[in-house]
DNA sequence: GGGTTGTATTGACATCCTTCGATGCAAGCT
DNA sequence: AGCTTGCATCGAAGGATGTCAATACAACCC
């Protein structure tokens, strides 16, 4: 049940300056496609709320039975959204008896945070004296 | 031309521990809807590549005429994606003569990175001895 | 002004997504 | 075994999204 996530961004090959970055170099097609799947999973209010409910849970995990009643949506719909979050590698789950518990995969959110972080002393070109100077 | 972005996440009211966080407390409906718009903008490979091309550009800005030919898509399609990125507050643009230049709005990516970052010493419940213990 | 080039908007179409009710499967209980 | 509860999967329906060709708009040049 826990073996279906995307392997996206899977290379953590010891590179200290991990994650090419999105903000530092142009993504190639393949990277963009994989990354887009994860961001797309975050691109829905219901899934964002589900993720935040799961991530902020004290014990680290939540029973589906606690998630479903928090929404004005049918149980199959919630189940579907949880599946998408899981396929994106953002959460994982396990069945224990009658109930299924979900928890955050912090490695994935860490990775996204890293991808969206620009290198420390980035120029940050002051947008005040925009003169000519570029392209074509 | 630069006045149409989402005002999302607009409150930067001096709170040092800015951005509730998504990973620390359940998002409410409104926050989730606003945040989802931004992530949705990132949920497309073309837009991710556009954003990375813009963000990683040396001078800090890129002419549309340099972006369009990098894709196997029509010019209106690229224009449409740029518009979505701009409406999400991720980029901004300015016309200078015949050309239009786009640049990254780093405040927005910073904000997203912050939202996806969990508080420093987070428990990180070791997922090895999963016993009972939760919910309902 | 008229023509040319760069970019945005419009309208149409195919595809994908969110949602639902109905149903199926897993596990516990009597 | 049968019943009940929790969750997932399966179609189907409606709306949203990505793409294009055609067109409009803006700025330059002759």
């Amino acid at each position: 049940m826990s073996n279906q996530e995307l392997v996206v961004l899977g290379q953590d090959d010891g590179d200290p300056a991990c994650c090419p970055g999105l903000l530092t170099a142009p993504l190639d097609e393949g990277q963009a496609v994989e990354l887009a799947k994860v961001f797309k999973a975050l691109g829905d209010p219901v899934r964002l709320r589900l993720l935040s409910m799961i991530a902020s849970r004290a014990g680290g995990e939540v029973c589906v039975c606690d998630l479903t009643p928090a929404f004005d949506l049918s149980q199959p719909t919630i189940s579907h959204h949880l599946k998408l979050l899981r396929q994106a590698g953002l959460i994982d789950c396990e069945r224990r008896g009658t109930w299924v518990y979900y928890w955050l995969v912090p490695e994935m959110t860490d990775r996204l945070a890293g991808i969206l972080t620009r290198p420390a002393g980035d120029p940050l070109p002051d947008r005040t004296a925009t003169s000519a100077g570029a392209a074509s």
Side-chain angles (χ1 to χ4, degrees), chain A residues 74-124:
Chain A
S74 70
Q75 174 268 320
T77 297
I78 299 300
S79 188
H80 174 241
H81 284 303
L82 288 170
K83 182 180 183 177
L84 293 187
L85 285 172
R86 194 160 60 82
Q87 289 178 333
L90 287 160
I91 58 176
D92 202 355
C93 68
E94 181 187 46
R95 168 164 229 134
R96 283 207 288 284
T98 308
W99 295 281
V100 176
Y101 295 87
Y102 280 82
W103 59 84
L104 180 74
V105 176
E107 290 82 5
M108 183 57 83
T109 48
D110 287 354
R111 189 104 62 179
L112 292 182
I115 283 176
L116 288 169
T117 301
R118 61 205 148 103
D122 217 6
L124 218 306

Side-chain angles (χ1 to χ4, degrees), chain A residues 37-61:
Chain A
K37 290 179 189 171
V38 185
F39 281 124
K40 193 175 300 183
L42 293 174
D44 180 276
V46 176
R47 287 195 291 273
L48 277 182
R49 288 180 61 202
L50 281 169
L51 187 69
S52 73
M53 290 177 71
I54 294 171
S56 64
R57 188 60 158 232
E61 51 187 32

Side-chain angles (χ1 to χ4, degrees), chain A residues 27-45:
Chain A
L27 246 42
D28 70 55
E29 175 72 27
Q31 296 171 317
V33 169
E34 294 306 306
L35 237 195
K37 290 179 189 171
V38 185
F39 281 124
K40 193 175 300 183
L42 293 174
D44 180 276

